[in-house]
């Protein structure tokens, strides 16, 4: 029998790892077994993963349980898996994403470049890479909040240039996604939106 998928969110106003370890024991301990092999835990990094494993081992030892640990992944790894499932292709690595942003910048028209690259067509490779890093960081921040650039572009800013800047970023984002697609790659955050069925997700090529 296939297990029914179940998602649990741990609030940030309590000691998360200790609470999470206790919840896993309470929900999955069965007789002398604590089988968490079918559980995926999303954590901010390896340090948190090591600490959670320590807590689980302590609980298992104190209650004399045989522990099969859960799979512990970061959000980026989890998003990559969702991307592959939703888009049927590999998720772009960090460096591949930066390369796609740089490709989008090199192909961008002057009226878009002026908002992000003061040197325009005279920008060096180092300049382009620096701007690509800034754009990638902005894309991650907005995607994490599930805010589409076109939504910001449509807001009633007092300064018209601000709205135009968001329009330019939205244009660059589309070029970035197109550059990834041309290489058979998908953006992890965009693919998560596809997996969630969001109307703001970029359609797959040919759909």
């Amino acid at each position: 029998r296939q297990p029914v998928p179940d998602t649990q969110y741990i609030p940030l106003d309590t000691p998360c790892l200790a609470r999470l370890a206790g919840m896993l024991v309470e929900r999955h301990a069965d007789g002398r077994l604590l089988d968490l092999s079918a559980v995926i835990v999303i954590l901010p990094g390896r340090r948190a993963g090591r600490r959670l494993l320590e807590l689980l081992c302590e609980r298992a030892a104190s209650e004399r349980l045989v522990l099969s640990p859960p799979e512990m992944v970061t959000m980026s790894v989890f998003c990559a898996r969702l991307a592959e499932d939703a888009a049927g292709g590999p998720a772009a690595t960090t460096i591949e994403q930066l390369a796609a942003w740089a490709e989008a910048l090199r192909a961008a028209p002057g009226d878009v470049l002026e908002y992000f690259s003061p040197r325009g067509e005279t920008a060096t490779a180092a300049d382009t890479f620096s701007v690509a890093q800034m754009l990638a960081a902005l894309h991650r921040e907005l995607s994490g909040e599930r805010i589409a650039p076109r939504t910001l572009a449509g807001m009633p800013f007092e300064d018209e240039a601000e709205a135009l800047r968001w329009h330019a970023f939205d244009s660059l984002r589309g070029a970035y996604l197109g550059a990834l697609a041309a290489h058979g790659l998908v953006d992890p955050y965009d693919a998560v939106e596809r997996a969630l069925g969001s109307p703001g997700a970029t359609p797959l090529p040919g759909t």
Side-chain angles (χ1 to χ4, degrees):
R1 185 174 61 90
Q2 291 294 324
V4 177
D6 185 18
T7 303
Q8 294 290 322
Y9 296 93
I10 306 298
L12 299 179
D13 58 353
T14 59
C16 294
L17 293 180
R19 178 170 178 178
L20 175 57
M23 186 191 74
L24 289 172
V25 173
E26 292 169 5
R27 290 173 61 90
H28 296 278
D30 185 8
R32 308 310 306 169
L33 298 177
L34 178 54
D35 185 3
L36 303 174
S37 59
V39 176
I40 298 175
V41 180
I42 303 172
L43 296 166
R46 294 181 179 179
R47 183 177 179 181
R50 289 193 297 269
R51 181 54 184 152
L52 177 60
L53 184 58
E54 289 174 358
L55 291 169
L56 288 171
C57 288
E58 290 171 3
R59 286 291 301 268
S62 67
E63 300 183 27
R64 297 184 178 182
L65 298 170
V66 177
L67 171 65
S68 293
E71 183 177 3
M72 291 176 277
V73 299
T74 62
M75 179 58 75
S76 61
V77 171
F78 184 71
C79 286
R81 290 189 181 180
L82 283 181
E84 293 176 0
D85 289 342
T93 64
T94 300
I95 193 65
E96 288 169 338
Q97 292 172 50
L98 289 174
W101 278 113
E103 186 174 332
L105 283 167
R106 287 192 295 269
D111 60 341
V112 170
L113 275 182
E114 67 177 305
Y115 290 103
F116 301 102
S117 183
R119 298 180 62 179
E121 295 180 357
T122 65
T124 65
D127 294 330
T128 300
F129 185 74
S130 178
V131 176
Q133 288 180 302
M134 181 271 292
L135 293 173
L138 179 58
H139 172 61
R140 287 194 301 271
E141 184 174 351
L142 290 177
S143 298
E145 297 294 334
R146 302 188 71 191
I147 300 174
R150 67 191 62 178
T151 300
L152 294 173
M155 295 183 68
F157 291 105
E158 293 183 4
D159 183 2
E160 184 182 2
E162 186 66 18
L164 293 174
R165 186 176 294 110
W166 285 114
H167 275 295
F169 177 71
D170 188 41
S171 174
L172 274 175
R173 178 180 176 274
Y176 153 76
L177 294 173
L180 286 180
H183 295 285
L185 300 170
V186 293
D187 174 74
Y189 295 96
D190 190 59
V192 168
E193 292 300 320
R194 292 181 198 154
L196 295 174
S198 169
T202 303
L204 291 170
T207 59

